[in-house]
Structure formats: C-alpha cells, structure tokens
Amino acid sequence: MPRPPRTPPLPVTAKPINRRTILKAGGTLLLSVLSPLPAAAAQILAVRVWPAADYTRVTLENDSNLKATHFIVPDPERLVVDIEGLDLNPTLKSLVAKIESEDPYIRQVRVGQNRPNVVRLVFDLKEQVKPQVFTLEPVGAYKHRLIFDLYPVAPVDPIAQMIEKGEWMRDDLAPAGRPELAGPAPDPLAKQKSEMPAMAVVTPEVVAPVKPVQPKVEKPQVVRMVTVALDPGHGGEDPGAIGAAGTREKDIVLAIAKRLKFKIEEQPNMRVMLTRDGDYFVPLGTRVEKARKVQADLFVSIHADAFMKPSARGSSVFVLSEKGATSSAARWLANKENLADSIGGINMKTHDRQLASVLLDLSTTAQINDSMKLAKAVLSEIGGFARLHKASVEQAGFAVLKAPDIPSILIETAFISNPEEEAKLRDNGYQDQIASAIMKGIKNYFAKNPPMAKSRIT
C-alpha cells in the first residue's frame, strides 16, 4: 500500500523562549502590580456652621488635607469655593440644611460636583464679606479641617454692639481731654446759686460793704460707669472639657456668664460686655482685645475644666504669673487652656503674633497685684458655699489674663470631669449660686478699691 505524502512542517515565526524573555515578562508583570492606582477621593466626615455677629464659620472635617481655591462674585454677592480631590457625598450635601435663616452673613449655600474630583460650594451672601479660607492639621478629637471664616468688611466694634443693645451711652465716647464732646459739665455750685436770695442794689453811703459769703463746696466724687468684661471660655469648634454625662464646658460657662451679666446689670453704674454671647469660637487674643476696646475695669474668665483624675474637685481662682505656676495642677490647667486657639482653630497667616508678644511684654506687677485683690474677694465668696480645690489664689501663665491694664482673673467653677460636680454644674440653682458669689466678690473688691477716673484707651 503506498505511503501518504508527507505534510511539510509549518514555518516557525515565534522566537525561541529564553531566560531573557522570561525575565522581561516578569518585570512587566511586577511593574503592573506596583503601578499607583487612581487616588481615592477624600471623604467629608462632618460639616458644621457657627453663625455669630462677629463672623460666621463653616467647617468641613475630612480624612485628608484638602486644597481649595475661592473667589468673590459681586451683584449679588457670592463666595465661590472649589475643593479639589473631592466627590459629592451625603454629608457634604447636608451643609445646605445647616444654614440658618438668621445667619448674619450667609443667605444660602449651593453644593455640586463642578467637574470630576472637584466640588463647588456657592455661598449666597447677605452682605459683602472678607473671607478667610485655611486648613487645620488634626488636633484633639478632630481630623483634618477646611475652614471658611466669613468676616464683615467693617469689623464689628464691641462698643457699637453695646450701643445698639442699649448697654452703652454715646456720651461715654468723648475722648480724653475733650469733655465738651460729652455735653456740658454740671456746675457743682448751681444748687447753691439758685438758693441764694437776690441782693438789692444800694449806694455805698447807705450801707457798709458786705463781704460775700463763700459757699462751702464739697469735692465732687468720681461717678462713672464701671465696665466688666465677662469671658465664657471656649465655644464653637472648641467645646472645652466634656463630662462623663456629655456635658460640654462651653455650654455651662456661657449659662453662668449670662446669669452673672444679669446680676451685674442690676447694680447702679455697672455694665457688662460678653466676649461671646453665643456658641462660636473667639481666639484668646481677641478676647483680651475686646475687653480693652470697651475700657473694661475688670476681666473675668469663666471655666469648668477637667483633670486627669475624675476625683479632682473644687473651685479655684487664678491670676497671671510672671514667674511660673504656683502648683503643677495650675501649670497643667494653664497649658490646657492655652491650647484653645489650636482646637478652636485660628488662621496663622493672619493671626496677630505681634499683639500676643506685646500683651506678654506689657503685663505689669500692678495689674497682677490688683488681680490678686479681686481674686481673693471672689474666692472668699465662692468658698462660703462651695468646696474649694485650694484655699488660696493660684497663679499660672494663662494667655487670656495678659491684658496689661485690666485686673484679670480666671475662675474654675468646678471640675466637670468629676461626676458629682458635673451634676451640680448642670443644676440651675448651683449656676445661680456661683453667679451670685462672683457678683458679691466684685462688689467687695470695688468697695475697697473704688474705680478711678480713666482716660480713653487709644
């Protein structure tokens, strides 16, 4: 049987597989594994809005640092913010519902995906603002934060605020050396002159000259309005200490300050300025600056701090120290309170570091001595009904006490970290007792140290 024809072999086109080819293929596979994947969009964890007359703050808390650009669009006024590396999520959308109708600066906000990985926020404004947009690194319980601070073009003046509320008279604004701007000064002899009988006109030949009787004039006493600056600690982004039951220090101290304000305003010739009258953050230096602008006679900062051990209890009163703290606890509390700017969040690019250094350098022995007198008077009254953490006034380097020309004290009303004292701080009756004690201490201080006439601060 004949054999079938042999099929010719197919032509070989592939190169022979060798060691170099295998290594090259492995390297390609390794590169594909190690190549960076597209970056995941940042996640917005929380949005918060803090409206106030001073300024409105909007905070976006997120899991990574965000880059934002912004610009103003006029007629009507709008602030436009583009945030890179971000996709729209339900948390960010919830910002729309957080804008309150009584917000002094923001009418509404619109949120949308402007382009891939870029979210645009459009703030419709009620008036012109000077925006500050900045980021904050993680601190305390917070992750990364992107902050929008909307300030009015004309900064709010604390005296103008008090005039608007009827707490300050325009006559008080007369500059030193120009009393005529405050209206005519009263004539101390007016009463005596009006009561003197009219003299008949007679000739010298009829009666002998009569030597006029000089009326006795008493030295007029200085009567002026006394201004007390009350400083409720923390606020806004900075909750202060938080008790086991969830009580926030910022809420308690604001409630006590408002009670004390009412009691002071019941006194003749006394008025009050609050460094904050709502839930918003005020930098430490700004608190001091506000007190100086209204020519405050006293500065009283109110707190309810926490300590490392929940067993710590009792009230304390502090004044500034130039030579270090009087105890390790005082030093620890001062360091903790001085972190308020970091937690509350200040824009370091615009923060007036020079002001802080001036306040530090100008702190005087006289101010500390006067502060000590006030602190002793207040501590004595608080000790009449409450347990004291220490029976004497303590000293430490609290930044908020560094007004060079105002007696200043800081009161730790109780330890919010102590469950029993936290319960007391939540009680309206106890808050009223604390406010009454501080009021009595202030009155006792002025009884022994009457306010002097003072020139207007320039």
Side-chain angles (χ1 to χ4, degrees):
M1 186 173 178
R3 299 177 64 184
R6 187 176 180 185
T7 304
L10 295 173
V12 179
T13 57
K15 294 181 180 179
I17 298 176
N18 55 29
R19 183 171 179 272
R20 178 175 294 178
T21 303
I22 294 173
L23 290 174
K24 186 176 180 181
T28 303
L29 177 62
L30 183 62
L31 287 174
S32 66
V33 172
L34 297 180
S35 295
L37 298 174
Q43 290 297 311
I44 298 295
L45 305 175
V47 295
R48 296 180 290 274
V49 182
W50 310 100
D54 291 25
Y55 72 108
T56 289
R57 167 169 289 189
V58 178
T59 301
L60 307 184
E61 188 176 359
N62 44 87
D63 61 358
S64 62
N65 199 12
L66 296 177
K67 182 180 178 182
T69 56
H70 68 280
F71 55 94
I72 292 287
V73 180
D75 301 324
E77 292 291 323
R78 286 154 290 164
L79 169 65
V80 181
V81 181
D82 287 338
I83 309 173
E84 299 180 15
L86 194 62
D87 288 335
L88 204 55
N89 71 353
T91 303
L92 189 52
K93 289 180 181 178
S94 71
L95 177 62
V96 175
K98 291 182 180 291
I99 303 300
E100 301 175 359
S101 59
E102 58 267 24
D103 189 301
Y105 303 111
I106 303 176
R107 191 177 307 279
Q108 65 176 2
V109 64
R110 291 170 280 152
V111 183
Q113 193 77 45
N114 182 256
R115 54 188 185 274
N117 283 333
V118 177
V119 166
R120 171 165 287 186
L121 309 181
V122 179
F123 295 93
D124 295 318
L125 305 173
K126 294 180 178 179
E127 63 175 74
Q128 288 185 326
V129 300
K130 291 192 297 183
Q132 294 185 14
V133 180
F134 57 98
T135 58
L136 296 171
E137 295 297 318
V139 62
Y142 290 124
K143 304 293 185 182
H144 294 269
R145 284 177 288 173
L146 177 61
I147 303 288
F148 313 115
D149 283 349
L150 279 58
Y151 288 90
V153 173
V156 175
D157 183 85
I159 291 182
Q161 279 184 322
M162 295 176 75
I163 290 175
E164 186 177 349
K165 296 176 183 177
E167 299 168 350
W168 192 286
M169 298 179 65
R170 293 187 180 275
D171 288 350
D172 295 332
L173 299 178
R178 298 291 303 281
E180 70 276 9
L181 298 183
D187 182 356
L189 304 183
K191 187 173 185 297
Q192 290 90 332
K193 288 178 180 178
S194 65
E195 295 175 350
M196 291 178 66
M199 302 271 308
V201 179
V202 292
T203 62
E205 292 78 13
V206 178
V207 291
V210 178
K211 185 178 181 181
V213 178
Q214 295 293 334
K216 184 179 180 182
V217 180
E218 295 183 1
K219 185 178 180 181
Q221 294 182 345
V222 175
V223 178
R224 66 175 179 83
M225 293 291 288
V226 172
T227 305
V228 179
L230 296 183
D231 175 49
H234 311 283
E237 289 288 288
D238 177 19
I242 300 177
T247 310
R248 301 182 303 186
E249 180 182 3
K250 67 175 182 177
D251 300 328
I252 295 297
V253 298
L254 181 59
I256 294 173
K258 287 183 174 180
R259 291 176 183 275
L260 179 55
K261 179 178 186 291
F262 178 79
K263 293 179 184 298
I264 293 176
E265 288 176 336
E266 287 186 318
Q267 308 300 315
N269 300 321
M270 293 187 75
R271 61 189 166 202
V272 179
M273 186 275 294
L274 290 174
T275 58
R276 69 175 181 96
D277 56 6
D279 189 9
Y280 58 96
F281 173 69
V282 181
L284 298 175
T286 304
R287 296 169 186 262
V288 177
E289 196 175 3
K290 282 187 171 186
R292 299 192 74 211
K293 282 184 176 179
V294 300
Q295 303 180 78
D297 296 279
L298 300 179
F299 181 90
V300 180
S301 192
I302 303 173
H303 292 258
D305 217 329
F307 198 61
M308 295 174 286
K309 298 178 180 179
S311 58
R313 61 188 303 167
S315 304
S316 305
V317 181
F318 295 85
V319 301
L320 184 66
S321 171
E322 292 181 306
K323 302 177 181 178
T326 51
S327 69
S328 57
R331 183 183 305 106
W332 186 88
L333 284 171
N335 291 338
K336 190 171 181 292
E337 293 294 356
N338 291 346
L339 287 175
D341 280 352
S342 298
I343 296 172
I346 58 172
N347 185 0
M348 292 304 298
K349 291 182 180 179
T350 60
H351 183 53
D352 193 351
R353 297 182 183 179
Q354 183 178 5
L355 171 64
S357 64
V358 167
L359 293 179
L360 178 63
D361 295 339
L362 291 181
S363 297
T364 63
T365 302
Q367 185 260 25
I368 294 177
N369 289 341
D370 287 339
S371 301
M372 184 66 75
K373 294 175 185 176
L374 172 62
K376 288 179 178 178
V378 171
L379 186 68
S380 175
E381 292 298 330
I382 294 177
F385 76 95
R387 177 169 177 168
L388 298 180
H389 182 68
K390 195 171 182 181
S392 58
V393 175
E394 294 205 71
Q395 294 182 257
F398 290 92
V400 80
L401 299 182
K402 292 181 179 178
D405 45 7
I406 307 173
S408 304
I409 63 173
L410 185 145
I411 304 169
E412 291 288 357
T413 55
F415 281 97
I416 207 168
S417 52
N418 182 298
E420 292 181 15
E421 296 204 335
E422 180 187 8
K424 286 183 178 180
L425 288 168
R426 294 166 65 100
D427 181 72
N428 291 335
Y430 188 81
Q431 291 180 11
D432 202 65
Q433 279 185 298
I434 286 285
S436 295
I438 300 172
M439 177 70 257
K440 290 178 183 177
I442 291 174
K443 288 180 65 176
N444 293 342
Y445 168 78
F446 278 126
K448 297 179 180 178
N449 305 274
M452 303 295 290
K454 60 195 297 186
S455 300
R456 182 168 176 77
I457 299 172
T458 57

